[in-house]
Amino acid sequence: MKIIIAKNKEEFDRIAADMVSQQLKDKPDSVLGLATGSTPIGLYAQLVERYKKGEIDFSKVKTFNLDEYKGLPKTHPQSYYFFMFKHLFSKVNIDPENIHIPNGEVEDSAKECEEYEKNIKEAGGIDLQILGIGHNGHIGFNEPGTPFESTTSLIDLDQRTIEANSRFFDSINEVPRQAISMGIKTIMQARKIVLMISGKDKAEIAAKAIKGPVTTQVPASVLQLHPFATVLLDQEAASLL
Ligand code: F6R
């Protein structure tokens, strides 16, 4: 695992954007795995800026998002579909055909998950996967206890995840209880991975994921086994390393 500690938020976003930009320059038809949540918002803002300056091009890029809430319509402001269009897809020249986000609205989630895995394979696999981490160590929505062999599936959200994500909803009762998420195996098959961790409240889980035992109780610890995983932290998140 390569560890990078950024001096401040600006550098944190810039380093992540440098990694994605380099990937697109090396391979213009890259397949990117993308995350939502607070952590990558600055990265997406940087990518939009670079696109506007003509430094990067998304015309051949394919994307696969990590997850989506079960049951939220695409038009719901807290759906990950809505998030991705707001922060990135509506602002760059990506072909809508090349955007993949699990569909949380379909009834047959098992079929949706199977097709998602198939689509990733048909695209040639993920070149660069961006990840955030939950306070319980989840990556995607793979909560503690998820087997490392898991592929894309319908997940019951952990109480801690429901609580953490309730900050985006009017009340905790509105937070969906399930989500479709890429599996841990799916994530580990990406050629390169960047795990972004920011903030004091993530310091404890960052230390466990990076230095602790590799265990399904801390899903992100599996990244210690990946040959090309980088963990990018700000100084607060790195304070217990
Ligand atoms: C989001 C995702 C989650 C988040 C994690 C951290 O697509 O897969 O694993 O990355 O919950 O969320 P933030 O960045 O909001 O702290």
Side-chain angles (χ1 to χ4, degrees), residues 17-32:
D18 284 347
M19 288 175 178
V20 176
S21 303
Q22 194 56 52
Q23 175 66 41
L24 300 191
K25 280 171 193 157
D26 292 345
K27 189 176 177 226
D29 60 349
S30 286
V31 180
L32 300 180

Side-chain angles (χ1 to χ4, degrees), residues 34-40 65-67 80 131-135 138-142 161 165 167-168 181 196 198 201-202:
L34 299 177
T36 58
S38 309
T39 313
N65 263 82
L66 280 166
D67 39 25
Y80 288 167
L131 295 176
I133 188 172
H135 295 104
H138 76 206
I139 46 175
F141 271 136
N142 296 291
T161 302
N165 291 2
R167 69 193 195 274
F168 300 117
S181 175
M196 302 176 70
S198 141
D201 57 312
K202 296 277 177 76

Side-chain angles (χ1 to χ4, degrees), residues 106-118 180:
V106 293
E107 233 169 80
D108 192 345
S109 294
K111 188 165 161 243
E112 172 68 13
C113 295
E114 218 174 277
E115 275 169 15
Y116 207 67
E117 284 288 327
K118 199 168 132 235
I180 292 178

Side-chain angles (χ1 to χ4, degrees), residues 6 12 15 19 52 79 84 114-115 126 128-129 133 143 148 152 155-156 175 183-184 188 199 206 212 216 229:
F12 179 78
I15 292 171
M19 288 175 178
K52 283 186 182 154
S79 78
M84 287 309 301
E114 218 174 277
E115 275 169 15
I126 292 168
L128 176 64
Q129 174 69 55
I133 188 172
E143 305 288 25
F148 288 163
T152 303
I155 304 262
D156 290 327
V175 186
I184 294 184
M188 286 296 279
T216 55

